[in-house]
Amino acid sequence: QVQVAESGGGLVQPGGSLRLSCAASGRIFSINAMGWYRQAPGNQRELVATITRGYDSYYETSVKGRFTISRDNAKNTVYLQMNSLKPEDTAVYYCSLEIYSTFSSKRDYWGQGIQVTVSS
């Protein structure tokens, strides 16, 4: 089976930085798209950023220029570097991975969620 583990969240002051990591392990043939989502209290889960296996990235408008998504294919890991954090970035952040466990068997896996709080 596949396990997905997130790390790196916490409390930071406005203007500060955090780096989230999401690592997959287990029966993995390859990983296609990797992404980060977030969900604030009372809101729906929203897409933050995605990155393809070929390193093409997409960002939600409010995080462009502040967040950077990256991946290490050898480590089956995706990162989200968050700079210039604002209180409105406060949310639970989830990673999402499109994982092939065999050549033809694909499934989306989600991280457990990690809290990011931006507050003075």
Side-chain angles (χ1 to χ4, degrees):
Q1 296 302 318
V2 174
Q3 296 78 42
V4 178
E6 300 179 15
S7 61
L11 172 65
V12 64
Q13 292 186 344
S17 298
L18 282 175
R19 188 193 195 206
L20 304 183
S21 300
C22 172
S25 60
R27 188 179 182 184
I28 299 170
F29 177 74
S30 68
I31 303 178
N32 279 2
M34 305 174 113
W36 289 95
Y37 292 71
R38 66 186 179 186
Q39 187 168 18
N43 290 356
Q44 291 186 335
R45 190 173 297 188
E46 64 173 1
L47 176 64
V48 176
T50 61
I51 186 167
T52 67
R53 186 168 181 82
Y55 303 101
D56 291 325
S57 59
Y58 162 86
Y59 296 93
E60 192 270 329
T61 300
S62 70
V63 307
K64 281 183 181 178
R66 300 188 298 121
F67 291 11
T68 302
I69 190 170
S70 61
R71 63 189 287 168
D72 185 331
N73 289 333
K75 294 182 179 179
N76 293 326
T77 300
V78 61
Y79 305 97
L80 186 68
Q81 177 67 43
M82 305 184 292
N83 298 329
S84 302
L85 282 160
K86 303 175 181 180
E88 50 264 43
D89 295 317
T90 295
V92 177
Y93 284 70
Y94 299 88
C95 63
S96 176
L97 310 177
E98 187 181 41
I99 296 178
Y100 281 83
S101 56
T102 67
F103 179 78
S104 58
S105 177
K106 181 184 70 172
R107 224 199 84 177
D108 290 337
Y109 288 84
W110 290 85
Q112 77 278 13
I114 193 163
Q115 180 69 44
V116 171
T117 302
V118 184
S119 174
S120 56

